[in-house]
Amino acid sequence: MLPATFKLCAGISYRHMWNMTGLRRNALAAIHHELNRLAGPGPSNWISQVRRRSSLLSSRIQEEEVYNDEEMSYVKQGEDALQKAISILSEQDGWTVETVAANGDKVLSKVLPDIGKVFKLEVVMEQHPDNLYEELVEKMEQMGDWNPNVKQVKILQKIGQDTMVTHEVSAETPGNVVGPRDFVSVRCAKRRGSTCFLAGMSTQHPKMPEQKGVIRAENGPTCIVMKPCAEDPNKTKFTWLLSLDLKGWIPKTIINKVLSQTQVDFASHLRNRMANNVSMETAHAC
């Protein structure tokens, strides 16, 4: 089945979207352009694989279910989040180091026009990208079980294989410096060759209006990129782009500290989760 990314760009294949041909072609061209920038000179294998999959659009289009206007809007939002995140990550200049953990985990930041300050976590995980993708995407609603910074993740709607709308509730920070927040996000999950993507941005959904007494924060574009390390393909180069507007009256110095620490903590909690999964699998095998 042709992934939703390429179907979005190839909307001309559906009779009721013939008048949207230019939009779809522009989307495909933009994604190709950003992938080229992210790859840089001498494209790596994972970029080549994404580009090769994209080229299938020019040779074949497989039949898929037709989305209604609301569903197509969410698909488009997810694709926009992925494209914007790839564009940001492709720019290597201008990043400032926020913190470096003892194990080498690093958080960098950059201030962008129209977006504000964004953060980038760069770590190496001991697991293969497929295992991390399964935990973060296929078991997304279990995140509250292992990440104490998250109270709940609930999938409100799934559109095809790649797009979903979620509701997340964050926990308060120690000392309640930053109280609980909730988010409604559209997420775009992709697997291209050996590389995995999970992009997202804030949206609205009729099943989850703003809740009384809870501050509705906004995020996006955000994106996690997981690809095998060149030195050891069983390990993962893990990059997480984070952009959040927590709302409320919080000094920027506190927000910067909280967000960078949240990313470092996330890496630690994810490692513990994956280690526990391995332990459980070993125990069941005995």
PDB file of all heavy atoms in Angstrom, residues 51-76:
ATOM      1  N   ARG A  51      14.299   8.995  -0.801  1.00  0.00           N
ATOM      2  CA  ARG A  51      14.167   9.580  -2.129  1.00  0.00           C
ATOM      3  C   ARG A  51      13.737   8.520  -3.145  1.00  0.00           C
ATOM      4  O   ARG A  51      12.949   8.765  -4.041  1.00  0.00           O
ATOM      5  CB  ARG A  51      15.501  10.211  -2.535  1.00  0.00           C
ATOM      6  CG  ARG A  51      15.412  11.122  -3.732  1.00  0.00           C
ATOM      7  CD  ARG A  51      16.765  11.714  -4.067  1.00  0.00           C
ATOM      8  NE  ARG A  51      17.240  12.586  -3.008  1.00  0.00           N
ATOM      9  CZ  ARG A  51      18.399  12.406  -2.386  1.00  0.00           C
ATOM     10  NH1 ARG A  51      19.159  11.393  -2.682  1.00  0.00           N
ATOM     11  NH2 ARG A  51      18.781  13.251  -1.455  1.00  0.00           N
ATOM     12  N   ARG A  52      14.279   7.299  -3.024  1.00  0.00           N
ATOM     13  CA  ARG A  52      13.951   6.231  -3.953  1.00  0.00           C
ATOM     14  C   ARG A  52      12.480   5.850  -3.831  1.00  0.00           C
ATOM     15  O   ARG A  52      11.790   5.614  -4.814  1.00  0.00           O
ATOM     16  CB  ARG A  52      14.852   5.031  -3.674  1.00  0.00           C
ATOM     17  CG  ARG A  52      14.785   3.956  -4.722  1.00  0.00           C
ATOM     18  CD  ARG A  52      16.027   3.084  -4.696  1.00  0.00           C
ATOM     19  NE  ARG A  52      16.310   2.547  -3.372  1.00  0.00           N
ATOM     20  CZ  ARG A  52      17.376   2.872  -2.647  1.00  0.00           C
ATOM     21  NH1 ARG A  52      18.251   3.753  -3.090  1.00  0.00           N
ATOM     22  NH2 ARG A  52      17.583   2.337  -1.460  1.00  0.00           N
ATOM     23  N   ARG A  53      11.987   5.798  -2.567  1.00  0.00           N
ATOM     24  CA  ARG A  53      10.565   5.492  -2.384  1.00  0.00           C
ATOM     25  C   ARG A  53       9.695   6.591  -2.994  1.00  0.00           C
ATOM     26  O   ARG A  53       8.653   6.327  -3.581  1.00  0.00           O
ATOM     27  CB  ARG A  53      10.253   5.361  -0.897  1.00  0.00           C
ATOM     28  CG  ARG A  53      10.924   4.169  -0.223  1.00  0.00           C
ATOM     29  CD  ARG A  53      10.411   2.843  -0.751  1.00  0.00           C
ATOM     30  NE  ARG A  53      10.990   1.733  -0.041  1.00  0.00           N
ATOM     31  CZ  ARG A  53      10.502   1.187   1.075  1.00  0.00           C
ATOM     32  NH1 ARG A  53       9.403   1.680   1.593  1.00  0.00           N
ATOM     33  NH2 ARG A  53      11.094   0.181   1.649  1.00  0.00           N
ATOM     34  N   SER A  54      10.128   7.847  -2.824  1.00  0.00           N
ATOM     35  CA  SER A  54       9.347   8.960  -3.367  1.00  0.00           C
ATOM     36  C   SER A  54       9.239   8.875  -4.877  1.00  0.00           C
ATOM     37  O   SER A  54       8.226   9.251  -5.463  1.00  0.00           O
ATOM     38  CB  SER A  54      10.002  10.291  -2.983  1.00  0.00           C
ATOM     39  OG  SER A  54      10.054  10.424  -1.594  1.00  0.00           O
ATOM     40  N   SER A  55      10.298   8.380  -5.530  1.00  0.00           N
ATOM     41  CA  SER A  55      10.296   8.334  -6.990  1.00  0.00           C
ATOM     42  C   SER A  55       9.260   7.365  -7.538  1.00  0.00           C
ATOM     43  O   SER A  55       8.931   7.402  -8.724  1.00  0.00           O
ATOM     44  CB  SER A  55      11.689   7.924  -7.501  1.00  0.00           C
ATOM     45  OG  SER A  55      11.979   6.584  -7.152  1.00  0.00           O
ATOM     46  N   LEU A  56       8.731   6.495  -6.682  1.00  0.00           N
ATOM     47  CA  LEU A  56       7.697   5.565  -7.137  1.00  0.00           C
ATOM     48  C   LEU A  56       6.458   6.298  -7.642  1.00  0.00           C
ATOM     49  O   LEU A  56       5.684   5.765  -8.436  1.00  0.00           O
ATOM     50  CB  LEU A  56       7.292   4.619  -5.993  1.00  0.00           C
ATOM     51  CG  LEU A  56       8.347   3.596  -5.547  1.00  0.00           C
ATOM     52  CD1 LEU A  56       7.837   2.847  -4.330  1.00  0.00           C
ATOM     53  CD2 LEU A  56       8.686   2.641  -6.662  1.00  0.00           C
ATOM     54  N   LEU A  57       6.276   7.552  -7.163  1.00  0.00           N
ATOM     55  CA  LEU A  57       5.095   8.299  -7.583  1.00  0.00           C
ATOM     56  C   LEU A  57       5.057   8.514  -9.090  1.00  0.00           C
ATOM     57  O   LEU A  57       3.988   8.595  -9.676  1.00  0.00           O
ATOM     58  CB  LEU A  57       5.087   9.656  -6.880  1.00  0.00           C
ATOM     59  CG  LEU A  57       4.631   9.632  -5.421  1.00  0.00           C
ATOM     60  CD1 LEU A  57       4.819  11.004  -4.815  1.00  0.00           C
ATOM     61  CD2 LEU A  57       3.211   9.181  -5.304  1.00  0.00           C
ATOM     62  N   SER A  58       6.215   8.643  -9.676  1.00  0.00           N
ATOM     63  CA  SER A  58       6.250   8.925 -11.110  1.00  0.00           C
ATOM     64  C   SER A  58       5.997   7.692 -11.955  1.00  0.00           C
ATOM     65  O   SER A  58       5.787   7.794 -13.153  1.00  0.00           O
ATOM     66  CB  SER A  58       7.621   9.513 -11.487  1.00  0.00           C
ATOM     67  OG  SER A  58       8.642   8.568 -11.206  1.00  0.00           O
ATOM     68  N   SER A  59       6.028   6.488 -11.319  1.00  0.00           N
ATOM     69  CA  SER A  59       5.891   5.278 -12.107  1.00  0.00           C
ATOM     70  C   SER A  59       4.632   4.471 -11.799  1.00  0.00           C
ATOM     71  O   SER A  59       4.133   3.762 -12.638  1.00  0.00           O
ATOM     72  CB  SER A  59       7.132   4.388 -11.915  1.00  0.00           C
ATOM     73  OG  SER A  59       7.270   4.052 -10.549  1.00  0.00           O
ATOM     74  N   ARG A  60       4.133   4.604 -10.533  1.00  0.00           N
ATOM     75  CA  ARG A  60       2.944   3.811 -10.218  1.00  0.00           C
ATOM     76  C   ARG A  60       2.206   4.439  -9.045  1.00  0.00           C
ATOM     77  O   ARG A  60       2.793   5.029  -8.165  1.00  0.00           O
ATOM     78  CB  ARG A  60       3.317   2.372  -9.879  1.00  0.00           C
ATOM     79  CG  ARG A  60       4.132   2.206  -8.609  1.00  0.00           C
ATOM     80  CD  ARG A  60       4.504   0.735  -8.411  1.00  0.00           C
ATOM     81  NE  ARG A  60       5.302   0.541  -7.212  1.00  0.00           N
ATOM     82  CZ  ARG A  60       4.802   0.342  -6.007  1.00  0.00           C
ATOM     83  NH1 ARG A  60       3.503   0.326  -5.842  1.00  0.00           N
ATOM     84  NH2 ARG A  60       5.595   0.170  -4.970  1.00  0.00           N
ATOM     85  N   ILE A  61       0.881   4.305  -9.029  1.00  0.00           N
ATOM     86  CA  ILE A  61       0.046   4.760  -7.930  1.00  0.00           C
ATOM     87  C   ILE A  61      -0.934   3.646  -7.605  1.00  0.00           C
ATOM     88  O   ILE A  61      -1.678   3.201  -8.456  1.00  0.00           O
ATOM     89  CB  ILE A  61      -0.735   6.038  -8.296  1.00  0.00           C
ATOM     90  CG1 ILE A  61       0.244   7.166  -8.599  1.00  0.00           C
ATOM     91  CG2 ILE A  61      -1.683   6.422  -7.177  1.00  0.00           C
ATOM     92  CD1 ILE A  61      -0.437   8.422  -9.095  1.00  0.00           C
ATOM     93  N   GLN A  62      -0.893   3.184  -6.373  1.00  0.00           N
ATOM     94  CA  GLN A  62      -1.768   2.088  -5.984  1.00  0.00           C
ATOM     95  C   GLN A  62      -3.057   2.650  -5.394  1.00  0.00           C
ATOM     96  O   GLN A  62      -3.088   3.733  -4.809  1.00  0.00           O
ATOM     97  CB  GLN A  62      -1.066   1.213  -4.944  1.00  0.00           C
ATOM     98  CG  GLN A  62       0.181   0.537  -5.492  1.00  0.00           C
ATOM     99  CD  GLN A  62       0.821  -0.352  -4.448  1.00  0.00           C
ATOM    100  OE1 GLN A  62       0.403  -0.383  -3.304  1.00  0.00           O
ATOM    101  NE2 GLN A  62       1.829  -1.087  -4.862  1.00  0.00           N
ATOM    102  N   GLU A  63      -4.104   1.892  -5.542  1.00  0.00           N
ATOM    103  CA  GLU A  63      -5.425   2.330  -5.082  1.00  0.00           C
ATOM    104  C   GLU A  63      -5.504   2.278  -3.564  1.00  0.00           C
ATOM    105  O   GLU A  63      -5.070   1.331  -2.940  1.00  0.00           O
ATOM    106  CB  GLU A  63      -6.500   1.424  -5.668  1.00  0.00           C
ATOM    107  CG  GLU A  63      -7.909   1.885  -5.310  1.00  0.00           C
ATOM    108  CD  GLU A  63      -8.969   1.017  -5.940  1.00  0.00           C
ATOM    109  OE1 GLU A  63      -8.604   0.110  -6.704  1.00  0.00           O
ATOM    110  OE2 GLU A  63     -10.145   1.240  -5.655  1.00  0.00           O
ATOM    111  N   GLU A  64      -6.028   3.324  -2.942  1.00  0.00           N
ATOM    112  CA  GLU A  64      -6.201   3.391  -1.503  1.00  0.00           C
ATOM    113  C   GLU A  64      -7.595   3.921  -1.194  1.00  0.00           C
ATOM    114  O   GLU A  64      -8.292   4.416  -2.068  1.00  0.00           O
ATOM    115  CB  GLU A  64      -5.166   4.323  -0.878  1.00  0.00           C
ATOM    116  CG  GLU A  64      -3.804   3.685  -0.689  1.00  0.00           C
ATOM    117  CD  GLU A  64      -2.958   4.563   0.224  1.00  0.00           C
ATOM    118  OE1 GLU A  64      -3.057   4.378   1.448  1.00  0.00           O
ATOM    119  OE2 GLU A  64      -2.238   5.407  -0.288  1.00  0.00           O
ATOM    120  N   GLU A  65      -7.964   3.840   0.090  1.00  0.00           N
ATOM    121  CA  GLU A  65      -9.235   4.398   0.490  1.00  0.00           C
ATOM    122  C   GLU A  65      -9.218   5.904   0.277  1.00  0.00           C
ATOM    123  O   GLU A  65      -8.183   6.554   0.336  1.00  0.00           O
ATOM    124  CB  GLU A  65      -9.486   4.086   1.964  1.00  0.00           C
ATOM    125  CG  GLU A  65      -8.442   4.683   2.891  1.00  0.00           C
ATOM    126  CD  GLU A  65      -8.708   4.344   4.337  1.00  0.00           C
ATOM    127  OE1 GLU A  65      -9.839   4.598   4.794  1.00  0.00           O
ATOM    128  OE2 GLU A  65      -7.802   3.825   4.991  1.00  0.00           O
ATOM    129  N   VAL A  66     -10.375   6.472   0.002  1.00  0.00           N
ATOM    130  CA  VAL A  66     -10.500   7.906  -0.220  1.00  0.00           C
ATOM    131  C   VAL A  66     -10.872   8.562   1.107  1.00  0.00           C
ATOM    132  O   VAL A  66     -11.798   8.132   1.784  1.00  0.00           O
ATOM    133  CB  VAL A  66     -11.572   8.199  -1.289  1.00  0.00           C
ATOM    134  CG1 VAL A  66     -11.763   9.697  -1.450  1.00  0.00           C
ATOM    135  CG2 VAL A  66     -11.180   7.556  -2.608  1.00  0.00           C
ATOM    136  N   TYR A  67     -10.152   9.619   1.476  1.00  0.00           N
ATOM    137  CA  TYR A  67     -10.401  10.307   2.732  1.00  0.00           C
ATOM    138  C   TYR A  67     -11.408  11.426   2.541  1.00  0.00           C
ATOM    139  O   TYR A  67     -11.471  12.046   1.473  1.00  0.00           O
ATOM    140  CB  TYR A  67      -9.099  10.899   3.280  1.00  0.00           C
ATOM    141  CG  TYR A  67      -8.037   9.876   3.612  1.00  0.00           C
ATOM    142  CD1 TYR A  67      -6.692  10.174   3.431  1.00  0.00           C
ATOM    143  CD2 TYR A  67      -8.380   8.620   4.101  1.00  0.00           C
ATOM    144  CE1 TYR A  67      -5.708   9.258   3.742  1.00  0.00           C
ATOM    145  CE2 TYR A  67      -7.412   7.692   4.410  1.00  0.00           C
ATOM    146  CZ  TYR A  67      -6.072   8.009   4.228  1.00  0.00           C
ATOM    147  OH  TYR A  67      -5.116   7.094   4.534  1.00  0.00           O
ATOM    148  N   ASN A  68     -12.186  11.683   3.588  1.00  0.00           N
ATOM    149  CA  ASN A  68     -13.072  12.839   3.531  1.00  0.00           C
ATOM    150  C   ASN A  68     -12.273  14.113   3.808  1.00  0.00           C
ATOM    151  O   ASN A  68     -11.062  14.066   4.077  1.00  0.00           O
ATOM    152  CB  ASN A  68     -14.243  12.679   4.512  1.00  0.00           C
ATOM    153  CG  ASN A  68     -13.788  12.572   5.964  1.00  0.00           C
ATOM    154  OD1 ASN A  68     -12.821  13.219   6.378  1.00  0.00           O
ATOM    155  ND2 ASN A  68     -14.495  11.766   6.755  1.00  0.00           N
ATOM    156  N   ASP A  69     -12.933  15.266   3.764  1.00  0.00           N
ATOM    157  CA  ASP A  69     -12.224  16.537   3.895  1.00  0.00           C
ATOM    158  C   ASP A  69     -11.524  16.671   5.240  1.00  0.00           C
ATOM    159  O   ASP A  69     -10.394  17.173   5.322  1.00  0.00           O
ATOM    160  CB  ASP A  69     -13.202  17.702   3.702  1.00  0.00           C
ATOM    161  CG  ASP A  69     -13.687  17.820   2.264  1.00  0.00           C
ATOM    162  OD1 ASP A  69     -13.057  17.206   1.379  1.00  0.00           O
ATOM    163  OD2 ASP A  69     -14.695  18.521   2.026  1.00  0.00           O
ATOM    164  N   GLU A  70     -12.187  16.254   6.297  1.00  0.00           N
ATOM    165  CA  GLU A  70     -11.587  16.365   7.630  1.00  0.00           C
ATOM    166  C   GLU A  70     -10.347  15.480   7.734  1.00  0.00           C
ATOM    167  O   GLU A  70      -9.296  15.913   8.227  1.00  0.00           O
ATOM    168  CB  GLU A  70     -12.592  15.963   8.705  1.00  0.00           C
ATOM    169  CG  GLU A  70     -12.033  16.036  10.122  1.00  0.00           C
ATOM    170  CD  GLU A  70     -12.985  15.493  11.161  1.00  0.00           C
ATOM    171  OE1 GLU A  70     -13.259  14.268  11.138  1.00  0.00           O
ATOM    172  OE2 GLU A  70     -13.454  16.281  12.001  1.00  0.00           O
ATOM    173  N   GLU A  71     -10.450  14.247   7.257  1.00  0.00           N
ATOM    174  CA  GLU A  71      -9.313  13.334   7.314  1.00  0.00           C
ATOM    175  C   GLU A  71      -8.154  13.845   6.469  1.00  0.00           C
ATOM    176  O   GLU A  71      -6.990  13.801   6.891  1.00  0.00           O
ATOM    177  CB  GLU A  71      -9.741  11.942   6.854  1.00  0.00           C
ATOM    178  CG  GLU A  71     -10.706  11.251   7.795  1.00  0.00           C
ATOM    179  CD  GLU A  71     -11.327  10.009   7.187  1.00  0.00           C
ATOM    180  OE1 GLU A  71     -11.423   9.937   5.940  1.00  0.00           O
ATOM    181  OE2 GLU A  71     -11.717   9.112   7.958  1.00  0.00           O
ATOM    182  N   MET A  72      -8.467  14.342   5.278  1.00  0.00           N
ATOM    183  CA  MET A  72      -7.420  14.867   4.416  1.00  0.00           C
ATOM    184  C   MET A  72      -6.744  16.081   5.048  1.00  0.00           C
ATOM    185  O   MET A  72      -5.532  16.280   4.898  1.00  0.00           O
ATOM    186  CB  MET A  72      -8.003  15.248   3.054  1.00  0.00           C
ATOM    187  CG  MET A  72      -6.953  15.741   2.062  1.00  0.00           C
ATOM    188  SD  MET A  72      -5.621  14.548   1.790  1.00  0.00           S
ATOM    189  CE  MET A  72      -6.507  13.326   0.806  1.00  0.00           C
ATOM    190  N   SER A  73      -7.494  16.874   5.801  1.00  0.00           N
ATOM    191  CA  SER A  73      -6.911  18.017   6.491  1.00  0.00           C
ATOM    192  C   SER A  73      -5.876  17.564   7.510  1.00  0.00           C
ATOM    193  O   SER A  73      -4.785  18.151   7.617  1.00  0.00           O
ATOM    194  CB  SER A  73      -8.006  18.827   7.181  1.00  0.00           C
ATOM    195  OG  SER A  73      -7.458  19.861   7.972  1.00  0.00           O
ATOM    196  N   TYR A  74      -6.193  16.512   8.264  1.00  0.00           N
ATOM    197  CA  TYR A  74      -5.238  15.998   9.249  1.00  0.00           C
ATOM    198  C   TYR A  74      -3.997  15.413   8.563  1.00  0.00           C
ATOM    199  O   TYR A  74      -2.867  15.602   9.027  1.00  0.00           O
ATOM    200  CB  TYR A  74      -5.893  14.938  10.132  1.00  0.00           C
ATOM    201  CG  TYR A  74      -6.897  15.488  11.121  1.00  0.00           C
ATOM    202  CD1 TYR A  74      -8.168  14.924  11.256  1.00  0.00           C
ATOM    203  CD2 TYR A  74      -6.579  16.580  11.931  1.00  0.00           C
ATOM    204  CE1 TYR A  74      -9.090  15.429  12.165  1.00  0.00           C
ATOM    205  CE2 TYR A  74      -7.496  17.095  12.844  1.00  0.00           C
ATOM    206  CZ  TYR A  74      -8.749  16.510  12.950  1.00  0.00           C
ATOM    207  OH  TYR A  74      -9.658  17.014  13.849  1.00  0.00           O
ATOM    208  N   VAL A  75      -4.212  14.687   7.467  1.00  0.00           N
ATOM    209  CA  VAL A  75      -3.075  14.141   6.720  1.00  0.00           C
ATOM    210  C   VAL A  75      -2.166  15.265   6.254  1.00  0.00           C
ATOM    211  O   VAL A  75      -0.937  15.196   6.384  1.00  0.00           O
ATOM    212  CB  VAL A  75      -3.564  13.304   5.515  1.00  0.00           C
ATOM    213  CG1 VAL A  75      -2.385  12.919   4.612  1.00  0.00           C
ATOM    214  CG2 VAL A  75      -4.273  12.038   6.000  1.00  0.00           C
ATOM    215  N   LYS A  76      -2.765  16.319   5.725  1.00  0.00           N
ATOM    216  CA  LYS A  76      -1.986  17.461   5.234  1.00  0.00           C
ATOM    217  C   LYS A  76      -1.224  18.127   6.369  1.00  0.00           C
ATOM    218  O   LYS A  76      -0.058  18.510   6.224  1.00  0.00           O
ATOM    219  CB  LYS A  76      -2.928  18.465   4.567  1.00  0.00           C
ATOM    220  CG  LYS A  76      -2.247  19.720   4.033  1.00  0.00           C
ATOM    221  CD  LYS A  76      -1.306  19.403   2.892  1.00  0.00           C
ATOM    222  CE  LYS A  76      -0.894  20.673   2.139  1.00  0.00           C
ATOM    223  NZ  LYS A  76      -0.237  21.681   3.002  1.00  0.00           N
TER     224      LYS A  76
END
